[in-house]
Amino acid sequence: MEPDHKQLVQLLPLLPLLSELGRTEHVTETAEILGVPQSTVSRALARASAVVGTELLVRDGRGVRLTPAARSLLPYIERALTEFQAGLDVVRNESDVVRGRISVSFQHTFGESTLPLLISAFRGHHPGAVFTLSQGARDSCLAELAAGDADLALTAPVAAAGRNLLSAVLYREPLRLVVHHTHPLAGSPMASVTAIRSDPFVALGPGYGLRSLTDALFREAGYRPRIAFESQDSHTARGLVSAGLGVSILPPGDDAPGWNVSLETGNLGWVEVPLDSALAFRDVGLSWRQRRAEVEPAAVRLFREMVLTEGPDLLAGLVKRRSRLTGAGGNGREA
């Protein structure tokens, strides 16, 4: 360590004492204000003088007075303490603001991986952050956002920007045709939407983001599907397909249980097949209400900024893994 740095290390603990002594110019009063013995103040002065290399305080009758060297040094001490206090205030302020509650409304499909990953990353920096979570259909998520019941909404498709609504895409993922493992299309490298015209279709209900996307795919194919079931989440839809009760169009599945033909599993199993359509994808993104900076809670702003700046990179591995073809067995193998 350089000699000057050694001097700083020795002097730093003494700066508050020297600052107070410069104000009072009285050892006893300084000791009382700081709540330390008078001898502690005297010894600290002696150490400071030794480090600086000159006397900082001299006796003046019954009192003491600062030496010219001390008066020259005092403004620098005050500025150093002021800057350090400002830094402490910033840190404490950031710590306090992230204790505020952050309300996020999200679609069911993002509750297993996407949102937990984002929250985990944020709480790694701000462990005091508190979240209120509400999940449901895309329409209900955006309705909660518009009504002020949610600060942020995680949806797909991403809401179009409006007068008081802002949105940003975080990532894009493909949509797959999901069929029972014995379905004729199960081994196909690719399938068209017209190929399932005669199959019972497992859809998500109206108001769900995925429903609007599949409706667009069927409009492109020129027909309406024969809807056998309307589900409220993709897990149930995948389960119905796995039981051979229909086909569906869904985002890629996570590492779900695969099929194993036996009495215990009842011949359950599903296969994902790529769709031959330029519309077979969904954009996942964040939406928020446009508010004045002084009105938006700091915790919400910090989380939103982290999601927008770091979110795409944080989620890149997840998106890549989920977008691999998941065949029978749910083992993520390429078809």
Side-chain angles (χ1 to χ4, degrees):
M1 184 181 293
E2 296 294 328
D4 288 347
H5 288 172
K6 290 182 179 179
Q7 287 183 339
L8 287 175
V9 170
Q10 292 173 313
L11 282 173
L12 284 176
L14 307 178
L15 295 187
L17 185 148
L18 293 174
S19 174
E20 190 60 40
L21 193 60
R23 188 183 68 82
T24 66
E25 295 197 15
H26 198 284
V27 174
T28 303
E29 185 178 347
T30 297
E32 290 176 352
I33 291 173
L34 298 178
V36 297
Q38 184 174 331
S39 59
T40 299
V41 177
S42 298
R43 286 196 299 271
L45 277 171
R47 288 199 304 274
S49 297
V51 173
V52 174
T54 185
E55 291 294 333
L56 300 177
L57 210 68
V58 295
R59 294 287 179 183
D60 186 9
R62 294 183 130 189
V64 294
R65 61 180 171 81
L66 297 177
T67 65
R71 292 191 182 281
S72 298
L73 190 59
L74 193 59
Y76 296 95
I77 293 175
E78 295 293 348
R79 283 200 294 270
L81 291 175
T82 300
E83 287 295 314
F84 185 64
Q85 184 62 54
L88 282 178
D89 290 342
V90 169
V91 171
R92 287 169 178 165
N93 181 59
E94 288 185 352
S95 177
D96 288 341
V97 297
V98 296
R99 295 181 192 277
R101 192 170 295 274
I102 305 166
S103 177
V104 183
S105 185
F106 63 99
Q107 291 171 221
H108 294 280
T109 50
F110 306 129
E112 188 170 349
S113 303
T114 303
L115 185 58
L117 185 60
L118 295 173
I119 291 176
S120 177
F122 185 71
R123 293 194 67 179
H125 297 291
H126 306 291
V130 177
F131 286 83
T132 298
L133 305 179
S134 174
Q135 58 182 335
R138 177 180 181 272
D139 284 3
S140 65
C141 292
L142 295 177
E144 288 184 358
L145 180 64
D149 295 329
D151 298 308
L152 305 162
L154 186 63
T155 64
V158 184
R163 181 178 178 184
N164 295 311
L165 182 71
L166 297 175
S167 298
V169 175
L170 298 178
Y171 63 90
R172 172 176 289 186
E173 64 181 357
L175 298 180
R176 309 285 198 203
L177 173 63
V178 184
V179 298
H180 190 257
H181 70 91
T182 62
H183 192 280
L185 293 173
S188 302
M190 186 169 289
S192 66
V193 178
T194 55
I196 58 170
R197 180 187 292 268
S198 60
D199 288 274
F201 189 71
V202 181
L204 266 68
Y208 286 82
L210 199 58
R211 177 61 175 266
S212 66
L213 296 174
T214 55
D215 284 351
L217 284 166
F218 287 118
R219 282 196 301 271
E220 180 191 46
Y223 74 96
R224 291 182 178 181
R226 182 162 59 91
I227 296 178
F229 300 94
E230 285 187 341
S231 175
Q232 294 184 355
D233 66 83
S234 61
H235 295 292
T236 301
R238 199 176 296 273
L240 292 168
V241 172
S242 185
L245 299 174
V247 301
S248 190
I249 296 175
L250 300 169
D254 284 321
D255 294 333
W259 69 276
N260 183 14
V261 180
S262 68
L263 293 176
E264 289 78 10
T265 63
N267 197 25
L268 296 176
W270 47 265
V271 174
E272 292 181 358
V273 181
L275 279 168
D276 184 15
S277 171
L279 300 181
F281 68 89
R282 68 172 183 172
D283 286 329
V284 180
L286 193 72
S287 299
W288 63 95
R289 285 174 289 121
Q290 189 169 19
R291 292 184 279 184
R292 298 193 310 273
E294 64 271 19
V295 174
E296 184 180 39
V300 174
R301 175 182 58 79
L302 289 172
F303 180 65
R304 172 171 53 80
E305 290 176 349
M306 188 223 73
V307 171
L308 296 182
T309 57
E310 302 178 30
D313 288 338
L314 286 171
L315 298 168
L318 173 67
V319 175
K320 183 177 180 180
R321 177 176 63 83
R322 281 172 51 86
S323 296
R324 290 200 307 264
L325 281 178
T326 306
N331 57 8
R333 63 181 175 85
E334 296 290 341

